[in-house]
Amino acid sequence: GAVVSQHPSRVICKSGTSVKIECRSLDFQATTMFWYRQFPKQSLMLMATSNEGSKATYEQGVEKDKFLINHASLTLSTLTVTSAHPEDSSFYICSALRGRGAYEQYFGPGTRLTVT
Amino acid sequence: DAKTTQPPSMDCAEGRAANLPCNHSTISGNEYVYWYRQIHSQGPQYIIHGLKNNETNEMASLIITEDRKSSTLILPHATLRDTAVYYCIVRDNQAGTALIFGKGTTLSVSS
C-alpha cells in the first residue's frame, strides 16, 4: 500500500516560535495533499488543500498567515505553524492523493504539537 | 458531501462479529461510502469502500442497503486491536476532494 510519512512525530515548542511539519509520500507522487487538525476527543478537521506548485486552499476559519503550507514537489508538503500559541497544540495529520485525478487518500501517522 | 450518522459508541466481545451501522439518507447517486478507522494517536487507516454493491476484503465486509440510505461495516472476528474510532464517510469521487470526517463510532473490543 501507499505510504505517507510525517516528521517530526511529536514536537514541543515555546510560545511565539514557529514549527515546521513535513509530510512525504514515500512511494508515489501526490499532486494533492491535505492537512487536518485534531483536538483531543474530537474528529479530524480539514484545514487546507495543497496542490503541487500552487497556493493552498484554506477552509473557512483557518488563518492562512498562521498556517503556512508549501507543496513544492510531488512528494513533499510542509505545514509551518507560525508564532505558535498554546491553543495551537493539537494533532496534525497530513494526507495525500495518489496520482492525478485520484481519489485514493492515504494518511500520515500524525504529528503531536505541544506549545508551552 | 452528504452527512452520516453513527452511534457514538459500541462494545463487542473478542472473537465476535462487530456490526457498525451508518445512516446516510441524503447520499446522492455518485457518492461512495467509505470506512476508515483511527486507533488512538495514529493517522486514519482505510478499511473499505463501496458504491452500491456489497464489498469484502481481508479486513471487513461492507453491506449497503438497496436504497443506499444506510450501510453496515462488519468485522467478522473482532480482536482487541480492532478497538478504535470508526468513521463512515460519503464522498463523490471527484478528483481532488478531501474526506470530511464526522464524529464516528468508538468501538471497544473486550476479552
Side-chain angles (χ1 to χ4, degrees):
Chain A
V3 178
V4 176
S5 71
Q6 284 184 240
H7 178 79
S9 58
R10 57 179 63 236
V11 58
I12 300 173
C13 72
K14 293 187 176 180
S15 187
T17 61
S18 295
V19 174
K20 180 186 285 188
I21 301 170
E22 292 185 350
C23 176
R24 294 181 185 272
S25 55
L26 297 185
D27 52 358
F28 65 98
Q29 294 185 331
T31 50
T32 301
M33 289 184 171
F34 307 102
W35 287 95
Y36 294 81
R37 179 169 55 182
Q38 185 175 33
F39 293 109
K41 298 188 184 301
Q42 295 187 23
S43 186
L44 285 79
M45 184 188 77
L46 179 66
M47 298 175 67
T49 299
S50 167
N51 289 300
E52 185 262 338
S54 63
K55 290 184 178 180
T57 303
Y58 291 82
E59 296 298 304
Q60 191 172 12
V62 178
E63 299 175 58
K64 63 179 181 181
D65 294 330
K66 180 168 185 62
F67 299 99
L68 302 180
I69 292 172
N70 184 280
H71 192 164
S73 80
L74 288 172
T75 59
L76 173 64
S77 176
T78 60
L79 168 69
T80 301
V81 183
T82 62
S83 187
H85 288 94
E87 56 265 31
D88 298 322
S89 298
S90 189
F91 193 50
Y92 291 87
I93 304 169
C94 74
S95 178
L97 287 180
R98 181 165 63 177
R100 297 185 185 277
Y103 56 86
E104 297 172 354
Q105 190 169 337
Y106 298 91
F107 289 84
T111 296
R112 175 76 58 193
L113 170 64
T114 302
V115 184
T116 61
Chain B
D1 289 349
K3 292 185 177 180
T4 62
T5 304
Q6 300 177 250
S9 63
M10 292 184 66
D11 295 318
C12 180
E14 190 177 22
R16 297 282 194 166
N19 299 293
L20 291 86
C22 179
N23 284 317
H24 31 80
S25 58
T26 60
I27 192 171
S28 61
N30 56 343
E31 287 181 318
Y32 286 71
V33 180
Y34 283 81
W35 283 84
Y36 279 76
R37 74 180 183 184
Q38 185 180 27
I39 296 171
H40 183 62
S41 294
Q42 296 183 23
Q45 176 189 22
Y46 168 81
I47 301 173
I48 200 167
H49 77 283
L51 182 62
K52 56 178 81 172
N53 297 323
N54 298 337
E55 303 287 344
T56 295
N57 63 22
E58 64 278 3
M59 288 184 68
S61 295
L62 173 60
I63 308 297
I64 303 174
T65 57
E66 194 169 339
D67 63 7
R68 303 208 325 122
K69 292 185 177 182
S70 66
S71 61
T72 301
L73 177 74
I74 301 173
L75 307 179
H77 305 287
T79 70
L80 298 179
R81 285 182 289 185
D82 291 321
T83 293
V85 180
Y86 287 76
Y87 295 99
C88 168
I89 304 167
V90 295
R91 185 183 74 169
D92 182 344
N93 273 358
Q94 179 181 356
T97 57
L99 290 164
I100 302 300
F101 289 78
K103 296 181 179 180
T105 295
T106 299
L107 175 68
S108 299
V109 181
S110 56
S111 57

